[in-house]
Amino acid sequence: ASDDPGKPAARPQRFLRAAGYAGRVFPVARRATVGGAPAFPTLDALPERPDHAFILLPTEGAMAAVADCVRLGIPAVTVLAGGFSESGPEGAAREAALREMLAGSGTRLLGPNSIGLANLHEGLVLTANAAFAEAPLPRGGLFVASQSGSMIGALMSRGKARGLGFSTLVSVGAEVDLDVGAVGMAALVDGRTEAVLLFLETLRGAESL
């Protein structure tokens, strides 16, 4: 987490606060406080196991953090970092290593290359997408899952201009673990979902979809 408002790592904490998120938030950083809240130097130092970890670290640091999340039994992890299959054979090897880390664990991973997610009804705006700085956020019944992180903000801002409201918006990124189909299943069990919008650039999990 960051105190520098110009950095993406400063946004999630600020967005959660602005959206009125009622859960506990634990910034992890090499300083005593972030955004006026107590910070913790490592995941091991947290006072309790979080439900979700949003990892905003460079590639190698992100890999190590995912391993820590699996070891600690954190059930959901979102990874913003790139440097995976889109970067060639070395990146593909990193993806394979991520899958191996997750295998047999209770941890599910969103990303990598995911800019985050937002459940607007719960105030869970866990994203580094600058579009979520616009207030008020347009709540409603449209569930969005997108392979493009930047498209999430574009869809929300254009939808808002047309009077559309959103329930949840999810950037799935490289779909190393959770793919569009698996994420879309969450829409089907959410009673607030009125319609589902998918933005697809490729088709990785045909059976799941």
Side-chain angles (χ1 to χ4, degrees), residues 51-102:
D51 297 316
H52 195 139
F54 189 18
I55 299 172
L56 298 103
L57 289 168
T59 307
E60 295 303 329
M63 296 278 291
V66 171
D68 286 340
C69 289
V70 171
R71 176 174 55 80
L72 294 169
I74 296 174
V77 180
T78 297
V79 176
L80 176 63
F84 292 89
S85 59
E86 81 285 356
S87 63
E90 286 187 8
R94 291 189 191 102
E95 279 195 13
L98 278 181
R99 291 191 181 94
E100 189 173 339
M101 285 180 204
L102 296 167

Short mmCIF file of all heavy atoms in Angstrom, two decimals, residues 51-102:
data_model
loop_
_atom_site.label_atom_id
_atom_site.label_comp_id
_atom_site.label_asym_id
_atom_site.label_seq_id
_atom_site.Cartn_x
_atom_site.Cartn_y
_atom_site.Cartn_z
N ASP A 51 -9.95 -12.05 4.21
CA ASP A 51 -10.73 -12.82 3.24
C ASP A 51 -10.16 -12.67 1.83
O ASP A 51 -10.34 -13.55 0.98
CB ASP A 51 -12.19 -12.37 3.22
CG ASP A 51 -12.89 -12.60 4.55
OD1 ASP A 51 -12.70 -13.70 5.12
OD2 ASP A 51 -13.60 -11.70 5.02
N HIS A 52 -9.50 -11.52 1.59
CA HIS A 52 -9.05 -11.22 0.24
C HIS A 52 -7.78 -10.38 0.31
O HIS A 52 -7.73 -9.41 1.08
CB HIS A 52 -10.15 -10.42 -0.48
CG HIS A 52 -10.01 -10.34 -1.97
ND1 HIS A 52 -11.08 -10.47 -2.82
CD2 HIS A 52 -8.93 -10.17 -2.77
CE1 HIS A 52 -10.67 -10.35 -4.07
NE2 HIS A 52 -9.36 -10.17 -4.07
N ALA A 53 -6.78 -10.75 -0.46
CA ALA A 53 -5.55 -9.97 -0.54
C ALA A 53 -5.42 -9.40 -1.95
O ALA A 53 -5.54 -10.14 -2.93
CB ALA A 53 -4.34 -10.84 -0.23
N PHE A 54 -5.21 -8.08 -2.04
CA PHE A 54 -4.98 -7.43 -3.33
C PHE A 54 -3.50 -7.10 -3.41
O PHE A 54 -3.00 -6.27 -2.65
CB PHE A 54 -5.84 -6.17 -3.42
CG PHE A 54 -5.85 -5.52 -4.78
CD1 PHE A 54 -5.44 -6.19 -5.92
CD2 PHE A 54 -6.30 -4.22 -4.94
CE1 PHE A 54 -5.47 -5.60 -7.18
CE2 PHE A 54 -6.33 -3.60 -6.19
CZ PHE A 54 -5.92 -4.30 -7.30
N ILE A 55 -2.79 -7.77 -4.31
CA ILE A 55 -1.33 -7.67 -4.39
C ILE A 55 -0.94 -6.67 -5.47
O ILE A 55 -1.21 -6.89 -6.66
CB ILE A 55 -0.71 -9.05 -4.67
CG1 ILE A 55 -1.05 -10.01 -3.52
CG2 ILE A 55 0.80 -8.94 -4.84
CD1 ILE A 55 -0.66 -11.44 -3.78
N LEU A 56 -0.30 -5.57 -5.04
CA LEU A 56 0.14 -4.52 -5.97
C LEU A 56 1.66 -4.40 -5.87
O LEU A 56 2.20 -3.42 -5.36
CB LEU A 56 -0.53 -3.19 -5.62
CG LEU A 56 -2.06 -3.20 -5.73
CD1 LEU A 56 -2.67 -3.27 -4.33
CD2 LEU A 56 -2.57 -1.97 -6.45
N LEU A 57 2.34 -5.44 -6.31
CA LEU A 57 3.80 -5.51 -6.27
C LEU A 57 4.33 -5.85 -7.65
O LEU A 57 3.59 -6.42 -8.48
CB LEU A 57 4.24 -6.62 -5.29
CG LEU A 57 4.03 -6.36 -3.80
CD1 LEU A 57 4.24 -7.65 -3.02
CD2 LEU A 57 4.98 -5.29 -3.31
N PRO A 58 5.61 -5.55 -7.94
CA PRO A 58 6.21 -6.02 -9.20
C PRO A 58 6.17 -7.54 -9.29
O PRO A 58 5.94 -8.23 -8.28
CB PRO A 58 7.65 -5.49 -9.11
CG PRO A 58 7.58 -4.35 -8.15
CD PRO A 58 6.52 -4.72 -7.15
N THR A 59 6.45 -8.06 -10.46
CA THR A 59 6.20 -9.47 -10.77
C THR A 59 6.78 -10.45 -9.74
O THR A 59 6.06 -11.29 -9.20
CB THR A 59 6.75 -9.80 -12.16
OG1 THR A 59 6.21 -8.87 -13.10
CG2 THR A 59 6.37 -11.21 -12.58
N GLU A 60 8.08 -10.37 -9.47
CA GLU A 60 8.70 -11.34 -8.57
C GLU A 60 8.16 -11.19 -7.14
O GLU A 60 7.93 -12.19 -6.45
CB GLU A 60 10.22 -11.20 -8.59
CG GLU A 60 10.86 -11.54 -9.94
CD GLU A 60 10.53 -12.96 -10.42
OE1 GLU A 60 10.34 -13.85 -9.57
OE2 GLU A 60 10.47 -13.16 -11.64
N GLY A 61 7.96 -9.96 -6.70
CA GLY A 61 7.38 -9.74 -5.38
C GLY A 61 5.96 -10.28 -5.30
O GLY A 61 5.54 -10.82 -4.28
N ALA A 62 5.21 -10.14 -6.41
CA ALA A 62 3.85 -10.65 -6.44
C ALA A 62 3.84 -12.18 -6.33
O ALA A 62 2.99 -12.76 -5.64
CB ALA A 62 3.15 -10.21 -7.73
N MET A 63 4.77 -12.83 -7.01
CA MET A 63 4.87 -14.29 -6.92
C MET A 63 5.11 -14.73 -5.48
O MET A 63 4.45 -15.65 -4.97
CB MET A 63 6.03 -14.78 -7.80
CG MET A 63 5.86 -14.54 -9.28
SD MET A 63 4.84 -15.78 -10.08
CE MET A 63 5.89 -17.22 -9.98
N ALA A 64 6.03 -14.07 -4.80
CA ALA A 64 6.33 -14.41 -3.41
C ALA A 64 5.12 -14.15 -2.52
O ALA A 64 4.83 -14.93 -1.60
CB ALA A 64 7.53 -13.61 -2.92
N ALA A 65 4.38 -13.07 -2.79
CA ALA A 65 3.21 -12.75 -1.98
C ALA A 65 2.10 -13.78 -2.17
O ALA A 65 1.40 -14.14 -1.22
CB ALA A 65 2.70 -11.35 -2.33
N VAL A 66 1.93 -14.27 -3.41
CA VAL A 66 0.93 -15.32 -3.64
C VAL A 66 1.29 -16.57 -2.84
O VAL A 66 0.43 -17.20 -2.22
CB VAL A 66 0.80 -15.64 -5.14
CG1 VAL A 66 -0.07 -16.89 -5.35
CG2 VAL A 66 0.20 -14.46 -5.90
N ALA A 67 2.57 -16.92 -2.83
CA ALA A 67 3.01 -18.08 -2.05
C ALA A 67 2.68 -17.88 -0.57
O ALA A 67 2.24 -18.83 0.10
CB ALA A 67 4.51 -18.30 -2.24
N ASP A 68 2.87 -16.67 -0.06
CA ASP A 68 2.53 -16.39 1.33
C ASP A 68 1.02 -16.53 1.57
O ASP A 68 0.59 -17.04 2.60
CB ASP A 68 2.97 -14.97 1.71
CG ASP A 68 4.48 -14.85 1.89
OD1 ASP A 68 5.14 -15.89 2.10
OD2 ASP A 68 4.99 -13.71 1.82
N CYS A 69 0.23 -16.04 0.62
CA CYS A 69 -1.23 -16.14 0.75
C CYS A 69 -1.68 -17.60 0.81
O CYS A 69 -2.56 -17.96 1.61
CB CYS A 69 -1.91 -15.44 -0.41
SG CYS A 69 -1.79 -13.63 -0.37
N VAL A 70 -1.09 -18.43 -0.04
CA VAL A 70 -1.43 -19.86 -0.03
C VAL A 70 -1.03 -20.48 1.31
O VAL A 70 -1.81 -21.23 1.92
CB VAL A 70 -0.73 -20.58 -1.20
CG1 VAL A 70 -0.89 -22.09 -1.08
CG2 VAL A 70 -1.29 -20.09 -2.54
N ARG A 71 0.16 -20.16 1.78
CA ARG A 71 0.64 -20.71 3.06
C ARG A 71 -0.26 -20.30 4.23
O ARG A 71 -0.51 -21.09 5.14
CB ARG A 71 2.07 -20.21 3.30
CG ARG A 71 2.66 -20.61 4.64
CD ARG A 71 4.13 -20.21 4.75
NE ARG A 71 4.36 -18.80 4.49
CZ ARG A 71 4.16 -17.83 5.39
NH1 ARG A 71 3.72 -18.13 6.61
NH2 ARG A 71 4.42 -16.56 5.09
N LEU A 72 -0.78 -19.08 4.17
CA LEU A 72 -1.62 -18.57 5.25
C LEU A 72 -3.09 -18.93 5.09
O LEU A 72 -3.91 -18.63 5.95
CB LEU A 72 -1.47 -17.04 5.35
CG LEU A 72 -0.09 -16.54 5.77
CD1 LEU A 72 0.02 -15.04 5.57
CD2 LEU A 72 0.18 -16.90 7.23
N GLY A 73 -3.44 -19.54 3.96
CA GLY A 73 -4.82 -19.97 3.74
C GLY A 73 -5.77 -18.83 3.41
O GLY A 73 -6.97 -18.92 3.66
N ILE A 74 -5.25 -17.74 2.84
CA ILE A 74 -6.11 -16.63 2.42
C ILE A 74 -6.94 -17.09 1.23
O ILE A 74 -6.39 -17.53 0.21
CB ILE A 74 -5.27 -15.39 2.07
CG1 ILE A 74 -4.53 -14.90 3.33
CG2 ILE A 74 -6.14 -14.27 1.49
CD1 ILE A 74 -3.55 -13.77 3.08
N PRO A 75 -8.26 -17.05 1.30
CA PRO A 75 -9.09 -17.70 0.29
C PRO A 75 -9.12 -17.03 -1.08
O PRO A 75 -9.29 -17.70 -2.09
CB PRO A 75 -10.49 -17.72 0.91
CG PRO A 75 -10.47 -16.71 2.00
CD PRO A 75 -9.06 -16.60 2.47
N ALA A 76 -8.98 -15.70 -1.13
CA ALA A 76 -9.06 -15.00 -2.42
C ALA A 76 -7.89 -14.03 -2.56
O ALA A 76 -7.56 -13.30 -1.63
CB ALA A 76 -10.38 -14.24 -2.52
N VAL A 77 -7.28 -14.05 -3.74
CA VAL A 77 -6.12 -13.19 -4.02
C VAL A 77 -6.29 -12.59 -5.40
O VAL A 77 -6.64 -13.29 -6.36
CB VAL A 77 -4.80 -14.01 -3.99
CG1 VAL A 77 -3.61 -13.10 -4.29
CG2 VAL A 77 -4.63 -14.70 -2.66
N THR A 78 -6.07 -11.28 -5.51
CA THR A 78 -6.06 -10.59 -6.80
C THR A 78 -4.66 -10.07 -7.05
O THR A 78 -4.05 -9.47 -6.17
CB THR A 78 -7.07 -9.43 -6.82
OG1 THR A 78 -8.39 -9.95 -6.65
CG2 THR A 78 -7.00 -8.67 -8.14
N VAL A 79 -4.14 -10.29 -8.27
CA VAL A 79 -2.77 -9.88 -8.62
C VAL A 79 -2.83 -8.90 -9.79
O VAL A 79 -3.33 -9.23 -10.87
CB VAL A 79 -1.90 -11.09 -8.99
CG1 VAL A 79 -0.52 -10.64 -9.45
CG2 VAL A 79 -1.78 -12.04 -7.80
N LEU A 80 -2.28 -7.71 -9.56
CA LEU A 80 -2.24 -6.68 -10.60
C LEU A 80 -1.06 -6.87 -11.57
O LEU A 80 -1.16 -6.54 -12.75
CB LEU A 80 -2.13 -5.30 -9.93
CG LEU A 80 -1.99 -4.08 -10.85
CD1 LEU A 80 -3.23 -3.92 -11.74
CD2 LEU A 80 -1.76 -2.82 -10.03
N ALA A 81 0.03 -7.41 -11.10
CA ALA A 81 1.29 -7.45 -11.87
C ALA A 81 1.15 -8.14 -13.22
O ALA A 81 0.38 -9.09 -13.39
CB ALA A 81 2.37 -8.16 -11.04
N GLY A 82 1.96 -7.66 -14.18
CA GLY A 82 2.13 -8.34 -15.45
C GLY A 82 3.42 -9.14 -15.42
O GLY A 82 3.94 -9.46 -14.36
N GLY A 83 3.92 -9.47 -16.61
CA GLY A 83 5.15 -10.25 -16.69
C GLY A 83 4.89 -11.75 -16.71
O GLY A 83 5.76 -12.54 -16.33
N PHE A 84 3.72 -12.12 -17.21
CA PHE A 84 3.38 -13.55 -17.25
C PHE A 84 3.30 -14.00 -18.72
O PHE A 84 4.17 -13.65 -19.49
CB PHE A 84 2.12 -13.80 -16.43
CG PHE A 84 2.35 -13.57 -14.96
CD1 PHE A 84 2.18 -12.31 -14.39
CD2 PHE A 84 2.81 -14.60 -14.15
CE1 PHE A 84 2.43 -12.09 -13.04
CE2 PHE A 84 3.08 -14.38 -12.81
CZ PHE A 84 2.89 -13.12 -12.25
N SER A 85 2.30 -14.75 -19.13
CA SER A 85 2.34 -15.35 -20.46
C SER A 85 2.43 -14.32 -21.58
O SER A 85 2.94 -14.62 -22.66
CB SER A 85 1.12 -16.25 -20.68
OG SER A 85 -0.07 -15.50 -20.54
N GLU A 86 1.97 -13.10 -21.31
CA GLU A 86 2.03 -12.07 -22.35
C GLU A 86 3.47 -11.63 -22.64
O GLU A 86 3.73 -10.95 -23.65
CB GLU A 86 1.18 -10.85 -21.95
CG GLU A 86 1.83 -9.86 -20.98
CD GLU A 86 1.89 -10.33 -19.54
OE1 GLU A 86 1.36 -11.42 -19.23
OE2 GLU A 86 2.47 -9.60 -18.71
N SER A 87 4.41 -12.02 -21.77
CA SER A 87 5.80 -11.57 -21.93
C SER A 87 6.73 -12.66 -22.47
O SER A 87 7.95 -12.48 -22.47
CB SER A 87 6.33 -11.07 -20.58
OG SER A 87 6.37 -12.11 -19.63
N GLY A 88 6.17 -13.78 -22.95
CA GLY A 88 7.00 -14.80 -23.56
C GLY A 88 7.22 -16.03 -22.70
O GLY A 88 6.52 -16.23 -21.70
N PRO A 89 8.20 -16.88 -23.06
CA PRO A 89 8.41 -18.15 -22.36
C PRO A 89 8.68 -18.01 -20.86
O PRO A 89 8.19 -18.81 -20.07
CB PRO A 89 9.64 -18.74 -23.09
CG PRO A 89 9.61 -18.11 -24.43
CD PRO A 89 9.09 -16.73 -24.23
N GLU A 90 9.45 -17.01 -20.46
CA GLU A 90 9.72 -16.83 -19.03
C GLU A 90 8.43 -16.51 -18.28
O GLU A 90 8.20 -17.01 -17.18
CB GLU A 90 10.74 -15.70 -18.80
CG GLU A 90 12.16 -16.08 -19.17
CD GLU A 90 13.15 -15.00 -18.77
OE1 GLU A 90 12.75 -14.04 -18.07
OE2 GLU A 90 14.33 -15.12 -19.14
N GLY A 91 7.60 -15.68 -18.88
CA GLY A 91 6.32 -15.35 -18.26
C GLY A 91 5.40 -16.56 -18.19
O GLY A 91 4.69 -16.75 -17.20
N ALA A 92 5.40 -17.38 -19.24
CA ALA A 92 4.58 -18.60 -19.23
C ALA A 92 5.04 -19.54 -18.11
O ALA A 92 4.21 -20.20 -17.46
CB ALA A 92 4.68 -19.30 -20.58
N ALA A 93 6.35 -19.57 -17.87
CA ALA A 93 6.87 -20.40 -16.77
C ALA A 93 6.40 -19.86 -15.43
O ALA A 93 6.10 -20.63 -14.51
CB ALA A 93 8.40 -20.43 -16.83
N ARG A 94 6.31 -18.53 -15.31
CA ARG A 94 5.80 -17.95 -14.06
C ARG A 94 4.33 -18.34 -13.85
O ARG A 94 3.91 -18.61 -12.73
CB ARG A 94 5.94 -16.43 -14.09
CG ARG A 94 7.37 -15.93 -14.02
CD ARG A 94 7.41 -14.41 -13.82
NE ARG A 94 8.74 -13.90 -14.01
CZ ARG A 94 9.17 -13.28 -15.11
NH1 ARG A 94 8.33 -13.08 -16.12
NH2 ARG A 94 10.40 -12.84 -15.19
N GLU A 95 3.56 -18.32 -14.93
CA GLU A 95 2.15 -18.73 -14.81
C GLU A 95 2.05 -20.18 -14.34
O GLU A 95 1.22 -20.51 -13.49
CB GLU A 95 1.43 -18.56 -16.15
CG GLU A 95 0.98 -17.15 -16.41
CD GLU A 95 -0.04 -17.07 -17.54
OE1 GLU A 95 -0.58 -18.12 -17.96
OE2 GLU A 95 -0.29 -15.94 -18.00
N ALA A 96 2.88 -21.03 -14.91
CA ALA A 96 2.87 -22.44 -14.51
C ALA A 96 3.23 -22.56 -13.03
O ALA A 96 2.63 -23.38 -12.30
CB ALA A 96 3.86 -23.23 -15.36
N ALA A 97 4.16 -21.74 -12.57
CA ALA A 97 4.55 -21.75 -11.16
C ALA A 97 3.39 -21.30 -10.27
O ALA A 97 3.18 -21.85 -9.19
CB ALA A 97 5.77 -20.87 -10.93
N LEU A 98 2.63 -20.30 -10.74
CA LEU A 98 1.46 -19.85 -9.98
C LEU A 98 0.44 -20.98 -9.85
O LEU A 98 -0.11 -21.23 -8.77
CB LEU A 98 0.80 -18.66 -10.66
CG LEU A 98 1.39 -17.27 -10.43
CD1 LEU A 98 0.58 -16.23 -11.18
CD2 LEU A 98 1.42 -16.92 -8.94
N ARG A 99 0.18 -21.67 -10.96
CA ARG A 99 -0.79 -22.77 -10.92
C ARG A 99 -0.33 -23.87 -9.96
O ARG A 99 -1.13 -24.46 -9.24
CB ARG A 99 -0.99 -23.35 -12.32
CG ARG A 99 -1.71 -22.42 -13.27
CD ARG A 99 -2.12 -23.13 -14.56
NE ARG A 99 -2.77 -22.20 -15.46
CZ ARG A 99 -2.16 -21.52 -16.43
NH1 ARG A 99 -0.85 -21.69 -16.62
NH2 ARG A 99 -2.82 -20.70 -17.20
N GLU A 100 0.97 -24.13 -9.96
CA GLU A 100 1.51 -25.15 -9.06
C GLU A 100 1.34 -24.72 -7.60
O GLU A 100 1.00 -25.53 -6.74
CB GLU A 100 2.99 -25.38 -9.38
CG GLU A 100 3.58 -26.57 -8.63
CD GLU A 100 4.99 -26.89 -9.09
OE1 GLU A 100 5.37 -26.49 -10.21
OE2 GLU A 100 5.71 -27.54 -8.31
N MET A 101 1.57 -23.42 -7.30
CA MET A 101 1.37 -22.92 -5.94
C MET A 101 -0.07 -23.12 -5.48
O MET A 101 -0.34 -23.49 -4.34
CB MET A 101 1.64 -21.40 -5.90
CG MET A 101 3.06 -20.96 -5.95
SD MET A 101 3.06 -19.14 -5.87
CE MET A 101 4.64 -18.80 -6.65
N LEU A 102 -1.01 -22.86 -6.39
CA LEU A 102 -2.43 -22.88 -6.03
C LEU A 102 -2.99 -24.30 -5.94
O LEU A 102 -3.98 -24.54 -5.24
CB LEU A 102 -3.25 -22.10 -7.06
CG LEU A 102 -2.95 -20.60 -7.17
CD1 LEU A 102 -3.58 -20.02 -8.44
CD2 LEU A 102 -3.46 -19.85 -5.95
#
